[in-house]
Amino acid sequence: MNRISRRRFLKIAGFGAGAAALAAASTRRLSGAIPAGTAGVRTVPTYCDICFWKCNAVAHVRDGQLWKIVGNPDDPLCQGRLCPRGTGGVGAHFDPDRLRAPLMRRKERGEEKWVEVTWDEALGYIAERMQTIKAKYGPEAVALFSHGIGGTFLKHTLRAYGITNSAAPSFAQCRGPRDVGFNLTFGEEIGSPERTDIRNARCLVLIGSHLGENMHNTQVQEFAEANGNGATIIVADPRFSIAASKAQHYLPVKPGTDLALLLAWMNVLVTEGLYDTDYVTQHGYGFDYFKAELAQYTPEWAYPETGIAPEIIRATAREMARHRPATLVHPGRHATWYGDDTQRSRAIALLNALLGSWGRKGGFYYPSSMDVPAYPYPPYPQSARGKVDNPKQRFPFATETITTGIREATITGQPYPVKGWFVYATNLIHAMPNQEETIRAIRALDLLVVVDVIPSEIAGWADVVLPEATYLERYDDLNVETFRDPFIALRQPVVTPPADQKPNWWIARELALKLGLGAYYPWHDIEEYLDFRLKGAGLSLAELKQKGLVRGPQQPLYFEDGVPAEFPTPSGKIEFYSTQLKDAGFDPVPRYTRPADGPPGTFRLLSGRAPVHTFSRTQSNPVLRDAMDENEVWVNGDVGARLGLHSGDYVRLRNQDGVVSDRVKARVTAAIRPDCVYMVHGFGHTSKGLRSTFGKGASDAQLMTRYAVDPLMGGTGINVNFVTIEQGA
Amino acid sequence: MARFGMVIDTKKCVGCMDCVVACKTENDVPDGHCRDWISQRLQGEMPDLRLTITSERCNHCDSPPCVTCCPTGASHVQDFGKVVLVDHGKCIGCKACLAACPYGARFIHPDGYADKCTFCMHRVERGLAPACVDVCPTRCMYFGDLDDPESEVSRLIATRRHFVLKPDAGTRPRIFYLE
Ligand code: SF4
Ligand code: SF4
Ligand code: SF4
């Protein structure tokens, strides 16, 4: 048995060894008297920020100290149950590695030598540098990288200052290709939370999507529900994931060939006449051309590409057809794999279209949201210079700003110089592929400001680091959720920050004042802002503070209960053939190109998620670190035997460009194909400030020196790196 | 009189460790220790693999060797629910129970006493489910009275194939895993 949560030293500690380990008492409980007036348990509703899912929660404070956080039973997202990361969220408050005071660089960038300064000094310095950049290059020369709702106010200040370039890695490094692929097909995006009706699916198809390890709460809960109700689960993944272990059909597809599998599935549905003909006739555009294109992609053709036998491709396609329209081919989320990701996502969209699942129960529902008017700010300054990330629309179907495009412009100075970066709550060193390029861009900057809770790797490169209060210590903007059940939710402080950390709204407002942009902050305190917005929706801050969320009436979800079957594509139909792709010089129906293999003796590097961590942002959280404190590299059992490698041995990975990882434990297992290795993203921290997790495990991001750019929308596919295994680390 | 037990549906469990994390925060389990944990057992060859995930903790055995071996009487079976508990005041930290438990369910708390899962008696007494049961996002865990044939746990055991851990140890464990 492989115990993954309980340390080996625990087993021996009872017999004399490991006394030092046992002496370490909880860092979470502070000793001493209970402060007057705080005895007993008090609860505060708020919403979680350990990931972007924003589950509604209830925090418990016991005797004046943060104790635990649980799901809010009124929340349609979490149904009263947080995911393990959310449950461990209290650790963010107690994290011993947290940033405590504003820091200014006193040595070279990246050396992580700091002086602590006051907020007034830090913000004064930033404002002065920003004015210099504006005078010399224009305000467009400052860019914002931001992830999550906490960036709202900083973005507001910077828009008021005049920036035009503002991006999140969630587009070009994550879900962008998926949303563009579905947009090209149905005229609508998948969105977040995903509009997938997993709960009602009778057949669920996952392609590389590892729900259960990837803990997007609602999805995992509904996955378990569908599984419990006996839905057929089909999983295609080079790794036998947790989700695969629940599947009736597990297809260990060769990495990079998912598109071939999708085309062959569609070939079977069309050739055998198993698709939803009424739906396709009524809503489809260009089906005849699509059908003719598909003829070449037989299961026999797909077999040598994918390694999946023709009879299995046929059997699984028939199983999908048997349950349609309640067959959901999940669009995934992290979709930037091979550079042809938008076309793969389009193939997923088209497979769903053949099954008639879009707009149908057990497929994709139509989400809705409640109406909360925006705060009436003065208009932002206009710029004639446009954005830098996508000059001449070289990625014609990009619907959001491309982070890596801003990075490139920063390096080249084209189409115009970028001299300042603000980075909010996203660890760009781990989030974007090719760290060397990120560092080259940073060296071209006159100003790098990082706002974060922990000393992330990107903070290590900053000129000024601003320590933010955690979500448990601050207000944020309202979460006006677009979901199956719409609601409005409040994040509010539960406890006070332990040191000189400040909420982002305060930081953004103070910076605006220093920049002479006070007119953009007619409110003085965020409670005033929140109450104003809530009054506009007929609610009040007092009500939200007490309840945490207010739900709205559910709107029709499917075509069958009244959603109009409208598709805002150029043809007004579901585009089996895409004229806009054709006109832009791309394949109007997805076509398969075989992915390039790596050099002989190398393994394709794949990465994914663990249920107890979010990106590279939670490894120092003491509660979550205790659950998982390092990652492992999964190596196929036969490969391990050939190399004489055993589970638990430490190795290093060397990629095709000579980059060598930190030491990482091998997990030699039958649960992965021999042509690839796999590791969980987010470990291998190199920031000196992250003492508790420094050097624990290895970073996949460090090894992603190559990336395949999606020509449609600029996404950066990272599954194109190959490694060898170095033993004796 | 109730006899508490747990049923865990391995078909639904995804091994996410929410049960582990929730126990840690609920019960202030010190860093480096846990009262519940996840085991995974993989069998077979690609692609015919089988993974069994079990969320494990003290089984509150009907024949608990940790109680019979305890020299001080600190480890005992309480009347309410027949739950196996440790009286911290009486415990001298001699570790006899750690050696006796075939499941590795116990550890020595930094304050010097043997510690383990209590079935969250402080919650159950107030009518709540144990923290792990309450948090599980897949809703695969059930808690209740095994002596009540009408309880959900009894009905699940009566109707679904199940197993217990180390049945040969003679401990008669009260956590049942549905297949
Ligand atoms: S999915 Fe988990 S981490 Fe994300 S918001 Fe929900 S509880 Fe928090
Ligand atoms: S919380 Fe539930 S699904 Fe997650 S590991 Fe525990 S028992 Fe399994
Ligand atoms: S599992 Fe171990 S500690 Fe719990 S009752 Fe059984 S023998 Fe005792």
Side-chain angles (χ1 to χ4, degrees):
Chain A
M1 285 231 176
N2 173 20
R3 285 195 165 182
I4 61 168
S5 72
R6 204 166 158 84
R7 308 287 172 63
R8 199 147 286 278
F9 75 72
L10 266 184
K11 300 292 287 174
I12 54 170
F15 305 96
L22 285 178
S26 169
T27 51
R28 293 185 46 244
R29 294 260 69 82
L30 308 175
S31 52
I34 298 165
T38 63
V41 175
R42 123 186 114 77
T43 59
V44 184
T46 187
Y47 66 86
C48 181
D49 192 43
I50 301 297
C51 86
F52 44 77
W53 206 258
K54 305 187 198 76
C55 297
N56 293 292
V58 181
H60 289 58
V61 179
R62 185 181 52 196
D63 301 339
Q65 270 193 55
L66 186 60
W67 171 27
K68 65 174 180 179
I69 186 161
V70 298
N72 188 329
D74 296 333
D75 178 23
L77 276 180
C78 83
Q79 312 272 355
R81 294 169 185 238
L82 297 181
C83 90
R85 300 164 300 159
T87 305
V90 288
H93 171 71
F94 296 104
D95 187 340
D97 293 341
R98 284 183 68 166
L99 292 164
R100 305 182 68 77
L103 302 174
M104 280 180 55
R105 174 168 71 80
R106 64 177 170 83
K107 286 276 176 63
E108 289 306 302
R109 279 209 183 108
E111 286 189 14
E112 299 177 60
K113 303 285 186 207
W114 313 103
V115 274
E116 283 195 10
V117 294
T118 63
W119 280 96
D120 192 53
E121 284 172 286
L123 294 171
Y125 174 84
I126 295 167
E128 193 191 306
R129 293 303 283 258
M130 288 175 72
Q131 301 296 25
T132 310
I133 292 173
K134 190 186 231 174
K136 231 166 138 183
Y137 305 101
E140 302 89 344
V142 172
L144 170 67
F145 297 85
S146 171
H147 188 265
I149 199 164
T152 308
F153 297 105
L154 191 58
K155 186 172 177 182
H156 171 58
T157 295
L158 295 177
R159 294 279 307 273
Y161 162 87
I163 72 159
T164 55
N165 297 296
S166 164
S170 52
F171 181 69
Q173 278 73 49
C174 191
R175 59 174 173 75
R178 175 196 78 180
D179 284 335
V180 173
F182 272 71
N183 214 336
L184 285 165
T185 311
F186 295 108
E188 289 195 28
E189 300 190 348
I190 295 296
S192 174
E194 281 78 5
R195 56 200 292 177
T196 45
D197 198 17
I198 302 174
R199 171 199 286 177
N200 293 309
R202 298 301 308 151
C203 175
L204 176 66
V205 185
L206 301 176
I207 300 157
S209 176
H210 50 310
L211 295 180
E213 289 159 281
N214 201 340
M215 272 317 287
H216 300 147
N217 200 345
T218 319
Q219 306 239 351
V220 177
Q221 293 198 18
E222 294 192 14
F223 173 64
E225 196 178 333
N227 178 26
N229 291 339
T232 301
I233 295 170
I234 300 171
V235 173
D237 196 317
R239 184 178 65 96
F240 186 70
S241 61
I242 296 288
S245 77
K246 308 294 179 193
Q248 288 80 0
H249 303 272
Y250 165 53
L251 283 51
V253 64
K254 183 173 183 225
T257 67
D258 313 82
L259 183 49
L261 179 62
L262 288 158
L263 291 167
W265 272 335
M266 293 197 280
N267 173 290
V268 175
L269 293 181
V270 172
T271 324
E272 300 189 6
L274 300 172
Y275 66 99
D276 191 335
T277 39
D278 291 348
Y279 184 93
V280 169
T281 312
Q282 203 185 339
H283 305 304
Y285 170 81
F287 183 74
D288 292 340
Y289 186 98
F290 165 83
K291 184 175 172 181
E293 273 282 297
L294 270 188
Q296 57 190 301
Y297 302 119
T298 61
E300 283 69 23
W301 163 84
Y303 183 25
E305 297 299 329
T306 59
I308 307 301
E311 62 272 19
I312 291 177
I313 297 178
R314 289 206 168 84
T316 43
R318 288 172 194 150
E319 184 66 13
M320 289 181 218
R322 197 158 76 84
H323 298 288
R324 70 173 169 77
T327 295
L328 173 64
V329 186
H330 197 286
R333 185 168 182 115
H334 181 267
T336 42
W337 298 347
Y338 297 98
D340 61 353
D341 306 302
T342 303
Q343 291 284 17
R344 183 188 68 249
S345 300
R346 204 169 120 65
I348 295 174
L350 290 171
L351 177 54
N352 280 297
L354 286 177
L355 295 162
S357 68
W358 182 270
R360 311 281 280 280
K361 191 170 181 182
F364 296 84
Y365 64 81
Y366 276 74
S368 58
S369 63
M370 291 162 78
D371 191 25
V372 185
Y375 194 91
Y377 290 125
Y380 297 127
Q382 295 297 308
S383 164
R385 291 167 85 190
K387 300 190 298 170
V388 290
D389 66 305
N390 193 9
K392 301 204 183 79
Q393 295 293 302
R394 66 183 157 159
F395 303 115
F397 299 100
T399 47
E400 294 178 33
T401 307
I402 303 162
T403 47
T404 26
I406 299 179
R407 179 176 75 177
E408 192 180 325
T410 308
I411 295 171
T412 62
Q414 298 299 330
Y416 57 80
V418 176
K419 289 293 171 186
W421 281 11
F422 273 80
V423 181
Y424 175 81
T426 173
N427 189 4
L428 290 186
I429 300 286
H430 285 245
M432 294 196 292
N434 196 317
Q435 299 181 346
E436 200 261 334
E437 278 182 53
T438 307
I439 290 164
R440 241 193 305 152
I442 290 170
R443 292 196 197 281
L445 294 173
D446 290 345
L447 177 67
L448 172 55
V449 179
V450 171
V451 185
D452 213 330
V453 170
I454 51 164
S456 57
E457 279 69 27
I458 187 69
W461 286 91
D463 300 318
V464 187
V465 183
L466 302 177
E468 194 194 8
T470 67
Y471 71 107
L472 295 161
E473 302 149 0
R474 69 179 197 238
Y475 280 109
D476 265 319
D477 205 350
L478 301 169
N479 179 27
V480 183
E481 193 61 285
T482 306
F483 185 57
R484 186 193 272 131
D485 297 281
F487 62 85
I488 301 167
L490 176 74
R491 175 175 292 152
Q492 62 179 322
V494 178
V495 284
T496 52
D500 202 10
Q501 300 95 344
K502 297 285 186 193
N504 61 67
W505 66 265
W506 182 93
I507 300 171
R509 188 172 181 281
E510 291 298 308
L511 179 62
L513 297 182
K514 287 249 185 305
L515 290 164
L517 299 169
Y520 285 89
Y521 282 91
W523 48 270
H524 295 87
D525 191 278
I526 191 171
E527 294 194 352
E528 207 182 309
Y529 163 90
L530 293 169
D531 199 42
F532 185 96
R533 281 198 74 191
L534 286 164
K535 292 260 157 70
L539 299 163
S540 74
L541 180 59
E543 182 178 358
L544 267 286
K545 283 180 78 154
Q546 193 232 323
K547 295 181 179 164
L549 76 152
V550 172
R551 294 170 67 156
Q554 196 183 68
Q555 304 299 313
L557 296 172
Y558 317 113
F559 296 155
E560 58 257 39
D561 51 39
V563 176
E566 290 164 0
F567 304 94
T569 55
S571 64
K573 301 221 166 207
I574 300 171
E575 302 214 328
F576 286 93
Y577 178 95
S578 169
T579 312
Q580 40 175 347
L581 280 177
K582 174 76 179 161
D583 291 348
F586 298 106
D587 297 331
V589 173
R591 261 195 204 154
Y592 174 72
T593 345
R594 183 177 304 151
D597 281 332
T602 62
F603 306 93
R604 192 183 289 273
L605 176 61
L606 303 178
S607 66
R609 304 279 182 249
V612 290
H613 287 288
T614 302
F615 310 141
S616 61
R617 300 184 51 73
T618 54
Q619 287 72 26
S620 62
N621 172 319
V623 181
L624 299 178
R625 173 164 43 79
D626 219 22
M628 176 184 184
D629 66 352
E630 63 185 318
N631 58 353
E632 296 172 315
V633 55
W634 294 44
V635 178
N636 169 271
D638 295 337
V639 171
R642 204 172 68 225
L643 298 175
L645 189 67
H646 302 102
S647 282
D649 291 355
Y650 277 95
V651 299
R652 290 178 198 273
L653 302 178
R654 174 188 291 270
N655 83 352
Q656 69 283 326
D657 296 317
V659 174
V660 180
S661 77
D662 280 340
R663 6 183 353 255
V664 58
K665 244 187 217 169
R667 173 167 176 166
V668 179
T669 170
I672 189 164
R673 287 174 56 102
D675 49 7
C676 52
V677 294
Y678 168 88
M679 61 205 280
V680 165
H681 171 75
F683 284 86
H685 284 284
T686 54
S687 164
K688 291 178 199 139
L690 289 173
R691 284 176 301 258
S692 62
T693 183
F694 184 91
K696 296 267 176 73
S699 161
D700 62 321
Q702 181 195 20
L703 298 164
M704 307 292 190
T705 48
R706 307 251 173 123
Y707 54 94
V709 178
D710 192 317
L712 275 71
M713 47 61 73
T716 54
I718 52 174
N719 292 3
V720 296
N721 290 274
F722 296 89
V723 296
T724 50
I725 299 168
E726 301 195 340
Q727 288 168 261
Chain B
M1 190 65 89
R3 192 171 58 96
F4 291 135
M6 231 180 234
V7 172
I8 304 178
D9 188 348
T10 63
K11 182 176 183 309
K12 285 175 110 179
C13 174
V14 294
C16 70
M17 298 174 74
D18 211 352
C19 47
V20 178
V21 177
C23 172
K24 287 198 68 113
T25 59
E26 174 72 30
N27 296 304
D28 304 309
V29 179
D31 287 359
H33 298 282
C34 47
R35 289 180 175 186
D36 57 347
W37 63 94
I38 306 300
S39 295
Q40 294 192 5
R41 192 180 54 186
L42 183 70
Q43 293 161 291
E45 287 302 324
M46 186 75 99
D48 299 310
L49 290 157
R50 219 180 98 91
L51 181 69
T52 311
I53 307 170
T54 44
S55 169
E56 302 180 11
R57 60 191 53 61
C58 169
N59 284 282
H60 296 273
C61 306
D62 276 339
S63 305
C66 58
V67 170
T68 45
C69 78
C70 177
T72 63
S75 282
H76 64 284
V77 180
Q78 83 163 10
D79 270 356
F80 177 57
K82 300 283 177 291
V83 172
V84 176
L85 295 176
V86 181
D87 182 333
H88 300 171
K90 279 192 192 165
C91 177
I92 54 169
C94 73
K95 300 172 189 163
C97 57
L98 273 71
C101 170
Y103 304 99
R106 293 173 169 240
F107 60 92
I108 299 291
H109 191 281
D111 290 346
Y113 55 85
D115 200 7
K116 67 169 192 67
C117 161
T118 59
F119 266 173
C120 277
M121 274 305 116
H122 65 291
R123 292 174 58 90
V124 173
E125 280 161 7
R126 287 163 44 221
L128 301 170
C132 54
V133 175
D134 230 20
V135 80
C136 174
T138 70
R139 292 178 162 74
C140 75
M141 307 174 79
Y142 306 84
F143 179 81
D145 180 5
L146 297 169
D147 280 350
D148 172 3
E150 295 303 309
S151 70
E152 199 171 24
V153 283
S154 298
R155 272 188 281 133
L156 284 165
I157 295 168
T159 54
R160 299 248 328 245
R161 283 166 58 93
H162 58 268
F163 61 93
V164 295
L165 298 176
K166 301 194 179 171
D168 302 338
T171 51
R172 297 196 289 147
R174 294 211 303 261
I175 297 183
F176 300 85
Y177 296 91
L178 303 179
E179 284 179 12

